[in-house]
Amino acid sequence: MKITQAICTVLCLFFTSIESHAYVGIKKFELKTTSATLNIDTDGNLKITPNEKNSPQISTSAYDLWQVTLKNTSTNMEQKFHPGKNMLIRQQGDEVQFIQNGFMNGEDLIKAKAVFSISVKNDGFCFSGNLTSNTTNWTFKSLTYPIINGIIINPKNTDIYWPHGLGEHYNNPNSFNTRSSWYPSAMGASMPWFTITSTDGGLYIGCHDTTQSAKNFNLTYEPSNNTLRESIMIPIYDDKCDIPDIFIKSYSGKWYEASKFYRSWYNKHFTIPSPPEWVKDDPGMLLCILKQQNLNVMWSYKDIDRLCDVADKLNLNTIALFGWAVGGHDHLYPNYQPDNLLGGTEVLKTAIEKAHKRGKKIIIYANGKIMDVSTDYYRYNGIETIILKENGQPDIQFYRKQKNNTPVIFAQACTGSVVWRNTMYHLGQQANYLGADGILYDQLGVLRPLLCFSPYHDHRPGEADPKYRLEMVDEISKEIKDRNPNFIIMTEATNDVMLRGIDYTHGYGVATAPSDVAFPELYRYTFPELIETQRNPNPMITRTDANFAAVFGLRHELESRYPSDVKYLVNGILPNHKDYENVVSPPNVDKMNLVSIKKAEEYVHDLIKFENENSKFFRRGKYIALDGIDIKADAGIKASGFLSDDKIGVVIWNKNMDSKSSFSVKIKGYKLVGAKEIENSNVLALSPLPPNSLRLLVYEKN
Ligand SMILES: [Zn+2]
């Protein structure tokens, strides 16, 4: 060790030990909100006690509160650090601080400082702080904070609301078990918060970071002592870091309070643009792959007219053309030249014009995130455009649609690359030139943020690209909408970053279709502005799936992807499993065989007609879930409220397949003024609801 280093080490250690004495003699620290008290005793036990007795409590140790990972810049060696016993804990005004001056790596002191703080902000406990490295030898790789090892719950009356996809709801912590979810992405966490509720109230944990950068949310149930363990991991890869505000807030009431708390912060920093009027009224989308990955042509450009016939039967107005370019679906991306085999450019433009005359909207597909490594594009632009992982390797995905096909290998692009953004920009221009009403950049809302270490991009090595995904669509949207205000930008899946730039979302993932834990209320209530389709990879929509979409205010969707789908849609031929033997991800043949195509189409047609006739609730109403609506019902009833001026439309669905269900509804300050059903003009408002049926009850303000 050089003399100067040695002196410095001694001084730093001296400084640390002096500061650590500040803890001695202080009995305890206390912070209060209107709904809870936070205490730290002299042993570092940190407790959050809510005023509501039957509400989740916290009992953890300040000495478990964080984990810092430092990375040696010359050797790439990594070291993890937890709070040491010499960590200074002090209260400065309304803030408790935990200060770590230096990190001991064996006998060496790493000259870096970490300050963590807890304060009261917006009536919640705000965990924040900053990290600074004063040496060029070590940099911060990541921070995990706050680590709460003891969220004490009563498992018999605990509900967990997790922001996976449009939302999940668990009423049994055993079935939740453990989760590790990357924000922002529909595959992980679509919003940076979750909540745990009990009989009287709940606990909100959320990260309020105006940069909306990548984070990993972790929650695990420990059945041995009825606790939940929580942590949030923040990638850093920098010499310094201002830790974003992370809120732990107790509240009285239901999960809506957690959602409102997050949304009130979101509103201070972000806006959600309003899409063109036609999107607000759109009933849904017919997704059609014209040519498959194996180059099997199913629909030519002239056949777009026949697709309009299919859409008419279903009462749908929007047709999205997938596999419309030379390579077919999931092949030769990002090359999307109009295909002469399908008719060529002019035929495509004419077909789109003809569809417009029939009142249809046409959306053109482009994948916003992946490139086929067999293309010249990859050969000549790959190194400038792809994500390079920490080990210097690309992120490889492969897609195989037919069993006798070689998979197509894709590398993931980084939207931090100006070259890639420019490529996507030109595809948007092309879609507008072809006369389309919008472009769908696939996967922007889906894929989890992957840290990119490419030196060729606009970001620091170690950052992920969500903010550039948004920047990319903003640039394209602004440019094209200046000339064509009705042009839209779509993507697959929503998260609360992409929501700021997307007009219309193609549904994907959890809660875009029914499941035991699907809870679309979570995202829909937080962001009622969202216009998203259900996800239904079948060429028909079952009555159950259609009703699920209606009750949660999702738009409808069905997909034509394979030759047997075309036979079904054009000739009404019901398929069997053999028809999809060569297909890797077939539609649900059992669902398709539930009823005739005519009966299936008629129900969707009539449901959409019903929604259109009551569009002030289904399309233009503000989604309010059941906030303020007191509903008592048999099992199997799902319901949602839609606010429209002085009225609330309550949509009720009996999802039971073979039994009627009874229910009662009360809304304080409102009276019942009407009841409607799809196939029934004489509705008794509160009579039992027939199996798999919908009813709309209209309430008016007193
Ligand atoms: Zn990058």
Side-chain angles (χ1 to χ4, degrees):
M1 192 183 284
K2 288 181 185 169
I3 292 172
T4 46
Q5 271 182 326
I7 291 169
C8 183
T9 303
V10 169
L11 283 174
C12 287
L13 281 170
F14 177 70
F15 185 55
T16 306
S17 64
I18 293 265
E19 282 206 323
S20 67
H21 284 292
Y23 183 71
V24 177
I26 295 173
K27 285 181 182 168
K28 64 174 189 176
F29 307 104
E30 184 174 285
L31 298 172
K32 265 181 181 294
T33 67
T34 58
S35 50
T37 306
L38 182 149
N39 295 108
I40 304 168
D41 68 17
T42 45
D43 294 324
N45 296 310
L46 189 160
K47 289 190 176 173
I48 296 179
T49 312
N51 299 349
E52 301 283 4
K53 270 187 182 171
N54 292 315
S55 199
Q57 301 175 27
I58 284 177
S59 177
T60 191
S61 170
Y63 293 103
D64 293 330
L65 201 58
W66 50 263
Q67 176 188 284
V68 166
T69 303
L70 283 151
K71 184 171 176 174
N72 189 295
T73 49
S74 1
T75 64
N76 284 333
M77 187 180 74
E78 292 173 10
Q79 286 291 343
K80 289 181 170 41
F81 298 93
H82 296 93
K85 283 291 173 191
N86 63 345
M87 177 175 73
L88 164 69
I89 306 179
R90 68 182 180 192
Q91 185 154 6
Q92 284 221 320
D94 295 335
E95 186 170 287
V96 179
Q97 289 183 342
F98 309 86
I99 299 169
Q100 186 77 38
N101 263 308
F103 296 87
M104 291 308 298
N105 181 32
E107 299 206 337
D108 294 335
L109 179 80
I110 299 172
K111 288 183 280 172
K113 184 174 179 180
V115 178
F116 301 93
S117 64
I118 309 175
S119 59
V120 173
K121 211 166 160 181
N122 301 332
D123 204 31
F125 299 115
C126 175
F127 291 66
S128 192
N130 58 74
L131 310 175
T132 320
S133 172
N134 294 314
T135 164
T136 52
N137 295 336
W138 293 86
T139 190
F140 292 103
K141 180 185 175 180
S142 65
L143 167 70
T144 306
Y145 173 72
I147 301 170
I148 306 289
N149 280 329
I151 301 172
I152 304 164
I153 57 164
N154 177 352
K156 286 182 186 156
N157 56 22
T158 291
D159 293 85
I160 299 170
Y161 298 87
W162 193 251
H164 185 195
L166 289 183
E168 290 177 338
H169 171 211
Y170 294 86
N171 55 17
N172 176 350
N174 274 308
S175 60
F176 179 84
N177 192 11
T178 185
R179 281 305 173 88
S180 175
S181 300
W182 278 96
Y183 167 84
S185 78
M187 284 172 108
S190 56
M191 303 183 282
W193 66 273
F194 60 92
T195 191
I196 303 156
T197 65
S198 193
T199 325
D200 296 336
L203 187 72
Y204 167 95
I205 299 182
C207 187
H208 295 192
D209 179 4
T210 53
T211 70
Q212 297 189 301
S213 58
K215 279 154 208 85
N216 189 251
F217 287 79
N218 297 280
L219 188 67
T220 298
Y221 178 53
E222 289 291 347
S224 60
N225 58 2
N226 290 330
T227 58
L228 288 156
R229 192 171 69 240
E230 170 282 337
S231 65
I232 300 169
M233 196 278 279
I234 305 169
I236 301 172
Y237 291 95
D238 206 349
D239 297 336
K240 56 188 184 311
C241 167
D242 286 327
I243 303 166
D245 290 351
I246 297 163
F247 280 88
I248 298 184
K249 180 179 165 69
S250 294
Y251 60 87
S252 305
K254 297 184 176 171
W255 64 268
Y256 305 113
E257 302 310 312
S259 167
K260 283 186 236 177
F261 185 65
Y262 178 68
R263 185 63 203 257
S264 71
W265 169 79
Y266 189 95
N267 282 347
K268 282 181 196 151
H269 301 279
F270 311 119
T271 54
I272 300 169
S274 187
E277 296 301 306
W278 73 262
V279 175
K280 293 179 187 168
D281 293 321
D282 196 64
M285 186 169 101
L286 167 60
L287 182 164
C288 183
I289 296 176
L290 305 187
K291 179 169 146 181
Q292 254 299 354
Q293 190 181 45
N294 64 354
L295 308 183
N296 192 339
V297 174
M298 291 171 286
W299 307 86
S300 71
Y301 296 146
K302 275 190 178 164
D303 290 332
I304 290 172
D305 199 40
R306 292 164 74 209
L307 284 169
C308 293
D309 297 339
V310 172
D312 278 343
K313 284 186 205 165
L314 294 150
N315 229 341
L316 292 171
N317 284 340
T318 296
I319 300 169
L321 306 180
F322 284 44
W324 66 276
V326 283
H329 189 57
D330 282 351
H331 184 214
L332 302 188
Y333 297 168
N335 299 333
Y336 298 89
Q337 287 94 3
D339 191 348
N340 287 321
L341 192 61
L342 303 184
T345 306
E346 290 309 310
V347 173
L348 176 56
K349 286 173 72 177
T350 306
I352 291 173
E353 269 177 41
K354 199 169 173 188
H356 285 161
K357 283 182 187 145
R358 296 184 62 173
K360 303 300 179 209
K361 302 289 183 186
I362 302 293
I363 306 298
I364 292 272
Y365 176 96
N367 197 301
K369 281 297 283 173
I370 54 174
M371 70 191 80
D372 184 338
V373 300
S374 75
T375 56
D376 277 358
Y377 185 91
Y378 177 77
R379 181 173 301 164
Y380 299 119
N381 299 297
I383 197 59
E384 278 192 87
T385 52
I386 61 171
I387 284 179
L388 289 176
K389 296 189 286 189
E390 195 168 13
N391 61 6
Q393 299 293 307
D395 179 57
I396 296 297
Q397 305 175 6
F398 76 84
Y399 292 90
R400 187 186 186 205
K401 295 290 157 77
Q402 281 81 18
K403 289 176 184 167
N404 60 347
N405 247 36
T406 304
V408 180
I409 309 295
F410 291 96
Q412 188 180 165
C414 178
T415 52
S417 156
V418 67
V419 178
W420 182 257
R421 293 201 301 273
N422 198 34
T423 302
M424 293 296 117
Y425 169 82
H426 286 292
L427 292 175
Q429 297 283 0
Q430 176 180 250
N432 188 41
Y433 163 76
L434 291 169
D437 302 279
I439 184 163
L440 189 156
Y441 290 110
D442 206 11
Q443 294 194 311
L444 293 178
V446 177
L447 293 177
R448 80 167 180 84
L450 198 61
L451 305 183
C452 176
F453 294 81
S454 171
Y456 306 107
H457 300 166
D458 293 349
H459 56 75
R460 277 185 294 107
E463 253 191 294
D465 76 346
K467 80 170 182 182
Y468 296 97
R469 297 184 200 183
L470 179 63
E471 246 181 65
M472 181 177 87
V473 297
D474 276 351
E475 283 165 13
I476 298 164
S477 184
K478 188 178 179 314
E479 167 73 24
I480 301 178
K481 281 181 180 174
D482 277 350
R483 286 174 283 133
N484 181 2
N486 282 323
F487 189 89
I488 64 163
I489 308 287
M490 295 186 73
T491 193
E492 184 187 30
T494 188
N495 61 60
D496 72 7
V497 182
M498 289 316 298
L499 183 65
R500 294 164 52 203
I502 293 296
D503 295 298
Y504 193 178
T505 302
H506 180 213
Y508 165 91
V510 169
T512 56
S515 79
D516 289 347
V517 297
F519 196 71
E521 291 98 320
L522 195 68
Y523 194 97
R524 291 282 289 119
Y525 179 81
T526 311
F527 295 106
E529 296 92 337
L530 173 76
I531 300 177
E532 173 160 312
T533 68
Q534 64 185 122
R535 190 56 182 269
N536 169 55
N538 306 302
M540 58 88 74
I541 313 177
T542 65
R543 186 172 167 124
T544 297
D545 291 346
N547 286 342
F548 170 85
V551 79
F552 296 115
L554 298 173
R555 311 300 164 99
H556 301 284
E557 191 244 16
L558 81 166
E559 305 182 2
S560 169
R561 299 185 301 161
Y562 299 109
S564 294
D565 297 350
V566 181
K567 282 186 205 157
Y568 171 84
L569 286 169
V570 174
N571 307 113
I573 299 170
L574 291 173
N576 57 48
H577 290 278
K578 274 195 161 180
D579 292 325
Y580 293 98
E581 257 181 350
N582 191 35
V583 165
V584 173
S585 51
N588 189 322
V589 173
D590 296 336
K591 280 186 177 180
M592 290 170 73
N593 277 278
L594 283 173
V595 291
S596 70
I597 183 169
K598 190 165 180 291
K599 207 168 171 196
E601 286 175 344
E602 273 173 7
Y603 185 73
V604 175
H605 182 279
D606 293 349
L607 170 60
I608 287 176
K609 183 166 172 273
F610 181 69
E611 290 168 358
N612 290 345
E613 286 165 358
N614 298 286
S615 70
K616 67 178 173 189
F617 300 118
F618 285 102
R619 309 269 188 254
R620 300 275 180 154
K622 180 186 179 187
Y623 183 82
I624 57 170
L626 289 175
D627 191 13
I629 301 171
D630 180 17
I631 182 160
K632 293 192 172 49
D634 295 346
I637 290 281
K638 292 274 176 191
S640 292
F642 296 83
L643 180 68
S644 176
D645 298 324
D646 63 343
K647 291 194 174 65
I648 293 174
V650 182
V651 182
I652 302 165
W653 170 37
N654 174 14
K655 67 174 193 165
N656 291 319
M657 297 303 285
D658 47 21
S659 60
K660 288 189 173 186
S661 282
S662 299
F663 63 90
S664 67
V665 180
K666 277 186 190 151
I667 309 177
K668 202 176 172 188
Y670 285 77
K671 61 177 182 291
L672 181 66
V673 293
K676 300 173 185 186
E677 282 180 15
I678 301 165
E679 297 142 332
N680 185 0
S681 56
N682 190 16
V683 181
L684 284 171
L686 299 173
S687 63
L689 193 56
N692 204 6
S693 294
L694 288 176
R695 187 175 296 160
L696 170 66
L697 300 181
V698 180
Y699 288 80
E700 192 175 75
K701 215 169 195 172
N702 288 331

